[in-house]
Amino acid sequence: MAETVRYTYRLRPGRTAQSALLAEWGRCRWLWNEAVHQQKARRKPTMCKLSKMLTAARGRNAWLREGSQVAQQQTLRTYMAALDSSFKIKGQGRPKVKKLKTALPSLEYTTRGFRIKDGRLCLPGKVTVPVVWSRVLPSDPTSIRIYQDNLGHWYASFVVRRDAVTPAEADGTSIGVDWGVKTTATTTDTAFDLPHLGHRKRCAGERAKAQRRMARRRRPKGTAPSKGYVRAKRQAARIEKKAARQNTHDARQWAARVVDAHQLIAVEDFKVKFLAKSRMARKAADAAIGACKRELIYRGTRAGRKVVLVPPAYTTMTCSE
């Protein structure tokens, strides 16, 4: 049995390749914002209408024709998927305008828009980017997403098909999981409890130092930021990302142990937003309850375990007994 997954690798673009990627992102961002305008103007955009708009825009504008039509078409497809989800998923708003200063670059290509040659990623416009191959691709990729994180690092996420991972045979036991802030996950079997490790708390002092440095070097609005401010901002983001990655690693290790040993997993369907406006908001964010919950549900479903979401009412009082 095969499954569709994503394999993500780090990219090392040179100055020319990075300029080309950012220019392509600027064209795709313009198309996204134009699609948002169509929706706000109540013109009821569809994929057919947006494709015609793209064809007309490329005919009028030479700067738009310089980019890849595949990436631009995929941008409109992504917009339509987000628009459809906003009508079907409760609480998900309509797609918003992507601003230059806040939106991070993200490009998508199908097999017509990229190829892999001699270990390098070849994109339209004679753009060649070295890839850090940390593991071998299990099959030929069907599509790719190229994006940049808040630290300025570039990544390539390939969509591939691979043989499904055969999970370990569970002994038929069951386990219940209750979320908290003192102990991130309290289970019916104390051997599988996930303690609050406090990665963000350990980094709080160093992060606050970088943020104070940012505040001292902040220039008035409308002027370009100084190099010192950019360095301090990057350092604060690096510290925050390090803590987030530590939380993700712990959540994956813990979820793998729970899934391998149990056939039935009862999970408290806790809404993390409940604590966002309380005095426990900082500690709840440090515990990364949402990341642990998503990882446990994903791994349990993928392994064929029975995952039951339990309403959160009175679960903490029942668990304490």
Side-chain angles (χ1 to χ4, degrees):
M1 183 179 178
E3 61 179 354
T4 303
V5 294
R6 282 188 176 273
Y7 274 46
T8 304
Y9 302 89
R10 178 79 179 272
L11 298 179
R12 303 285 188 185
R15 183 174 299 178
T16 304
Q18 185 168 346
S19 299
L21 291 173
L22 291 176
E24 189 66 72
W25 161 242
R27 290 184 281 265
C28 293
R29 189 178 62 85
W30 181 85
L31 287 171
W32 176 282
N33 293 342
E34 185 64 25
V36 172
H37 173 71
Q38 297 285 330
Q39 172 64 21
K40 289 184 176 180
R42 300 182 182 277
R43 296 177 183 173
K44 298 181 179 180
T46 61
M47 193 60 213
C48 181
K49 292 181 180 179
L50 293 180
S51 297
K52 291 181 179 178
M53 179 199 73
L54 174 60
T55 303
R58 286 178 64 90
R60 292 192 307 268
N61 304 302
W63 60 271
L64 197 60
R65 290 196 300 271
E66 294 176 359
S68 169
Q69 187 173 4
V70 175
Q72 296 168 12
Q73 192 77 16
Q74 289 300 113
T75 298
L76 298 180
R77 291 185 183 278
T78 303
Y79 171 81
M80 286 305 305
L83 183 62
D84 292 341
S85 298
S86 66
F87 291 105
K88 298 175 183 178
I89 301 177
K90 183 179 179 180
Q92 182 171 336
R94 305 289 183 267
K96 298 181 180 179
V97 170
K98 292 186 176 182
K99 298 181 180 180
L100 179 61
K101 292 185 178 180
T102 56
L104 293 173
S106 178
L107 305 169
E108 293 191 17
Y109 297 89
T110 59
T111 50
R112 296 190 300 114
F114 75 95
R115 63 191 179 97
I116 301 173
K117 182 180 179 181
D118 298 332
R120 290 172 173 261
L121 180 63
C122 300
L123 299 173
K126 298 181 180 180
V127 178
T128 304
V129 185
V131 183
V132 181
W133 298 106
S134 55
R135 52 180 174 171
V136 180
L137 284 173
S139 63
D140 293 334
T142 57
S143 64
I144 182 177
R145 176 184 298 159
I146 299 174
Y147 63 93
Q148 186 184 35
D149 64 1
N150 58 347
L151 295 179
H153 300 158
W154 289 89
Y155 296 89
S157 179
F158 296 91
V159 177
V160 294
R161 296 279 292 175
R162 72 173 184 186
D163 294 334
V165 179
T166 304
E169 291 294 334
D171 56 2
T173 58
S174 59
I175 190 173
V177 181
D178 180 75
W179 306 108
V181 291
K182 187 175 181 180
T183 302
T184 303
T186 303
T187 63
T188 51
D189 185 352
T190 56
F192 291 92
D193 286 359
L194 178 62
H196 175 72
L197 300 175
H199 294 303
R200 283 192 172 92
K201 186 177 181 180
R202 281 200 305 274
C203 300
E206 192 176 356
R207 182 182 56 196
K209 185 178 179 180
Q211 290 173 342
R212 287 195 296 270
R213 195 180 301 119
M214 286 173 55
R216 290 196 300 268
R217 298 175 179 178
R218 188 187 302 274
R219 289 182 176 179
K221 187 176 180 180
T223 59
S226 64
K227 292 183 179 179
Y229 175 83
V230 173
R231 282 197 301 268
K233 183 179 180 180
R234 183 181 176 86
Q235 181 64 20
R238 184 183 292 112
I239 295 169
E240 184 66 27
K241 175 145 288 191
K242 178 183 177 181
R245 285 172 173 169
Q246 288 174 329
N247 281 330
T248 302
H249 173 76
D250 293 336
R252 289 175 177 173
Q253 297 292 322
W254 170 76
R257 288 197 304 116
V258 172
V259 170
D260 289 344
H262 301 89
Q263 184 65 36
L264 172 63
I265 304 174
V267 184
E268 178 191 4
D269 192 13
F270 184 73
K271 307 299 182 185
V272 187
K273 287 185 178 180
F274 174 75
L275 296 176
K277 297 182 180 180
S278 68
R279 60 182 180 181
M280 294 187 293
R282 180 176 296 179
K283 193 168 185 180
D286 193 1
I289 298 174
C292 294
K293 177 185 173 184
R294 286 192 301 270
E295 193 66 31
L296 180 60
I297 295 174
Y298 167 73
R299 287 183 176 267
T301 305
R302 179 181 167 191
R305 308 300 193 225
K306 186 177 181 181
V307 181
V308 180
L309 296 180
V310 181
Y314 307 108
T315 54
T316 303
M317 290 184 287
T318 305
C319 183
S320 63
E321 299 176 357

